[in-house]
Amino acid sequence: MKIFTSKDIHEIDGATCEMQQISSIELMERAASKVSSELISKFLPSQRFVFMAGPGNNGGDALAVARILIEHGYNNIEIFFFNVTGKLSHDCEEERKKLITLDGVNFTEVSKEFNPPSLGSSDVVVDGLFGSGLNQPLTGGFVAVSRLINESGAYVVSIDVPSGLFGEWNHKLNRRDIIHANKTYVFQIPRLSFFFEENASLIGDWQLLDIGLDSQKIKELSTDYMLVESRNLRPLLKPRQPFTAKRDYGSALLFAGSTGMMGAAVMCARAALKSGVGLVTVHGAKGGLQILQSSVPEAMYEPDRNEHFITDMRIHHEHQVVAIGPGIGCNEHTIDALENYLRTCSVPLVLDADALNCISRRPAMLSLLPAKTVITPHIGEFDRLFGNHNSSEARLQKAIEMAKQYNIIIVLKGHYSVTIRPTGRVYINPTGNPGMATAGSGDVLTGIIASFIAQGYKPEHAAMIGVFVHGLAGDMAADEVGEFGMTASDISNYCGKAIAAIFEKKI
């Protein structure tokens, strides 16, 4: 699914009206009908609703929703319409005219003084002050209205976006001045700002409402941001052929494990095998031989000459991918081995965990990374590599810059993990759940991505598929054992079923 800017969405709205030969107010009515249906399905006619409507099309949406609810027998509705400049959008003015013709409507038009209603936890406030077309922060009286709503304890429903929030970048805004919604109804296309952690408390639970926007215009319009769906991945997946052998599905070499951290090597190797790779070889500390071979007997083990950590990353056999990092530690000898390998490596590379921590100690190694190396940092690892960032928005912008600069693929892990290509294209992943915030989950992801590369997938495709499969396997595991009881091993155990679900169109 494409994620567009607010400007692009305005263009799509216009194209929809032109292609479907409808007026903009008819499209507004269509949107209002969808929101009204949702509210009617959730609240009884006796529910008190307080509508806050602004002078633009977002206000028009709110006025239309209020009218529809009244027409459906909801009679405990108060509407405050803010017309402080006397300048209304055409469609908002038309919706205002429709609303005030209703008998007994409790409608207050605010032009100067605003006598705020008493709001409490039993009330529903519908926020239609400003939509994603807003291009400057809330000021003056609108800040006061926002804070009134936020401090009231009422259940807040925002239409399009919470008022005061921009559709894309919000790093300069004071979030205290933005309305904090419990539910946000957005029309067909999510906004980029919905995927940043710092905005979660503003947006609440968000839901897409299909209003029939023109599919051809959506297809034609380009964007650098995508929300990954299974239908995007299905054409990329390669079905297994009957006359094949293990070497047809590639060989992965994993540099993983040291004394006290052999579990990371175990989880990475197991996940790679569970994701379809033909052969896995683990090179780890000599003392980890028995642990790895007894835990993952399907994997081969190359013991390092050192008992406790890796000192040698030379390759002795042919492999289709090399993954480095899970549990290797940051011993100076290990860092030397990594740097020496980076100077000579010639096969696709996946770096995670301690490999990234090693590089953060010698940042010059970033310039040694081969083209389209996949790195998979969590927030802490990313900031150690590229400097501290005070928001996920700032972190994404930096990741886009670094992916371009170093010609690498960055998988920035989080609730919505994002895969950034060297072109600047960003793929946002929707699968996964809080139960995956557990030790070893990242090691599993490294194994999955390496597995797909070994099987012949391009690194950019392997990263995108791997992140989706990882999250989907986590969702399946949560269904079985619950989010609180999930371990990384549970995630890897469901990798095969997750891949099959995509193939079989079960998701």
Side-chain angles (χ1 to χ4, degrees):
M1 177 188 295
K2 292 181 176 180
I3 299 172
F4 293 106
T5 65
S6 299
K7 180 181 178 183
D8 290 336
I9 291 170
H10 181 72
E11 186 176 338
I12 293 168
D13 287 346
T16 300
C17 293
E18 181 179 351
M19 296 303 296
Q20 298 178 13
Q21 297 184 332
I22 60 173
S23 66
S24 57
I25 199 163
E26 287 176 295
L27 185 60
M28 180 176 286
E29 286 286 331
R30 188 187 292 178
S33 176
K34 291 284 188 176
V35 175
S36 303
S37 294
E38 292 295 327
L39 296 178
I40 289 169
S41 71
K42 291 176 174 59
F43 299 101
L44 295 172
S46 59
Q47 173 64 52
R48 182 188 182 216
F49 284 91
V50 178
F51 281 77
M52 301 288 187
N57 284 353
N58 192 243
D61 290 331
L63 297 179
V65 171
R67 188 195 77 246
I68 294 170
L69 289 182
I70 293 169
E71 291 170 346
H72 279 78
Y74 286 71
N75 53 21
N76 194 6
I77 291 179
E78 300 170 44
I79 302 142
F80 293 87
F81 177 56
F82 292 83
N83 182 13
V84 295
T85 65
K87 297 178 181 179
L88 308 179
S89 73
H90 173 268
D91 291 352
C92 183
E93 174 62 28
E94 291 302 306
E95 292 295 353
R96 174 185 173 279
K97 291 176 182 177
K98 291 180 185 179
L99 180 64
I100 61 177
T101 61
L102 298 180
D103 292 333
V105 61
N106 189 346
F107 179 85
T108 302
E109 186 161 335
V110 180
S111 58
K112 292 182 180 179
E113 294 295 323
F114 173 51
N115 295 316
S118 176
L119 298 173
S121 59
S122 62
D123 300 322
V124 175
V125 172
V126 178
D127 160 36
L129 288 172
F130 299 98
S132 58
L134 187 70
N135 56 17
Q136 58 186 1
L138 297 182
T139 57
F142 288 115
V143 170
V145 173
S146 174
R147 293 184 180 180
L148 166 73
I149 294 170
N150 293 342
E151 295 166 6
S152 69
Y155 185 87
V156 180
V157 175
S158 287
I159 300 173
D160 188 32
V161 297
S163 291
L165 185 73
F166 298 161
E168 292 78 49
W169 311 109
N170 291 273
H171 61 281
K172 294 182 179 179
L173 297 184
N174 182 350
R175 283 169 173 74
R176 186 184 172 202
D177 297 341
I178 299 170
I179 285 182
H180 291 48
N182 299 94
K183 184 82 175 186
T184 298
Y185 291 115
V186 59
F187 302 124
Q188 201 159 331
I189 300 168
R191 307 301 188 257
L192 181 61
S193 58
F194 288 13
F195 300 99
F196 297 128
E197 179 183 356
E198 55 271 17
N199 297 334
S201 62
L202 309 178
I203 298 158
D205 177 32
W206 58 272
Q207 181 178 339
L208 294 180
L209 300 180
D210 190 339
I211 58 171
L213 296 177
D214 184 63
S215 58
Q216 187 60 34
K217 185 64 177 179
I218 291 173
K219 184 178 179 180
E220 291 174 356
L221 207 57
S222 63
T223 176
D224 283 333
Y225 300 93
M226 294 283 294
L227 182 64
V228 179
E229 298 176 283
S230 59
R231 63 186 178 90
N232 305 130
L233 305 181
R234 203 167 291 118
L236 301 176
L237 290 175
K238 303 172 183 179
R240 297 232 156 179
Q241 301 302 321
F243 292 96
T244 51
K246 59 190 176 186
R247 292 203 174 273
D248 294 309
Y249 301 107
S251 175
L253 173 61
L254 314 178
F255 287 104
S258 59
T259 296
M261 294 190 287
M262 284 306 302
V266 168
M267 287 179 284
C268 186
R270 183 181 291 134
L273 289 160
K274 291 284 188 179
S275 303
V277 68
L279 293 162
V280 169
T281 300
V282 177
H283 181 109
K286 186 177 181 180
L289 172 62
Q290 186 174 349
I291 295 172
L292 195 289
Q293 295 257 265
S294 59
S295 300
V296 194
E298 301 90 345
M300 294 173 284
Y301 197 75
E302 283 184 2
D304 195 273
R305 62 177 176 267
N306 189 283
E307 185 76 17
H308 300 292
F309 49 82
I310 295 173
T311 62
D312 181 7
M313 291 189 183
R314 287 175 293 182
I315 296 180
H316 307 289
H317 303 284
E318 182 181 351
H319 303 282
Q320 280 65 55
V321 67
V322 172
I324 307 175
I328 65 173
C330 294
N331 183 279
E332 284 297 316
H333 294 290
T334 304
I335 299 175
D336 289 340
L338 174 60
E339 183 169 0
N340 289 335
Y341 176 71
L342 292 180
R343 293 184 185 281
T344 59
C345 61
S346 59
V347 299
L349 185 61
V350 182
L351 299 177
D352 181 35
D354 281 334
L356 303 179
N357 293 328
C358 289
I359 293 173
S360 70
R361 296 189 181 189
R362 297 183 191 176
M365 282 197 279
L366 282 168
S367 62
L368 300 177
L369 300 183
K372 295 191 176 179
T373 291
V374 180
I375 70 171
T376 62
H378 58 53
I379 289 171
E381 291 160 350
F382 184 88
D383 284 3
R384 282 192 284 274
L385 279 172
F386 302 117
N388 291 328
H389 299 82
N390 59 12
S391 69
S392 58
E393 175 182 303
R395 202 168 284 110
L396 175 60
Q397 290 176 317
K398 185 66 172 183
I400 294 169
E401 178 188 342
M402 294 297 96
K404 291 178 179 178
Q405 178 175 329
Y406 292 106
N407 195 22
I408 59 176
I409 298 159
I410 300 177
V411 174
L412 186 53
K413 295 182 289 196
H415 176 61
Y416 292 108
S417 293
V418 292
T419 301
I420 304 106
R421 296 183 182 178
T423 59
R425 294 266 286 181
V426 175
Y427 295 83
I428 301 171
N429 185 68
T431 60
N433 61 82
M436 299 176 71
T438 185
S441 180
D443 304 318
V444 170
L445 176 61
T446 299
I448 296 171
I449 294 174
S451 176
F452 279 106
I453 295 176
Q455 291 173 67
Y457 292 79
K458 294 179 180 179
E460 57 267 38
H461 293 162
M464 182 173 65
I465 296 168
V467 172
F468 191 95
V469 168
H470 180 250
L472 181 56
D475 290 338
M476 291 177 169
D479 289 341
E480 180 67 25
V481 302
E483 291 181 0
F484 289 90
M486 191 190 310
T487 65
S489 295
D490 295 321
I491 300 170
S492 61
N493 287 340
Y494 278 92
C495 286
K497 288 187 176 181
I499 297 167
I502 299 171
F503 262 122
E504 297 166 10
K505 300 183 179 181
K506 292 181 179 179
I507 182 172

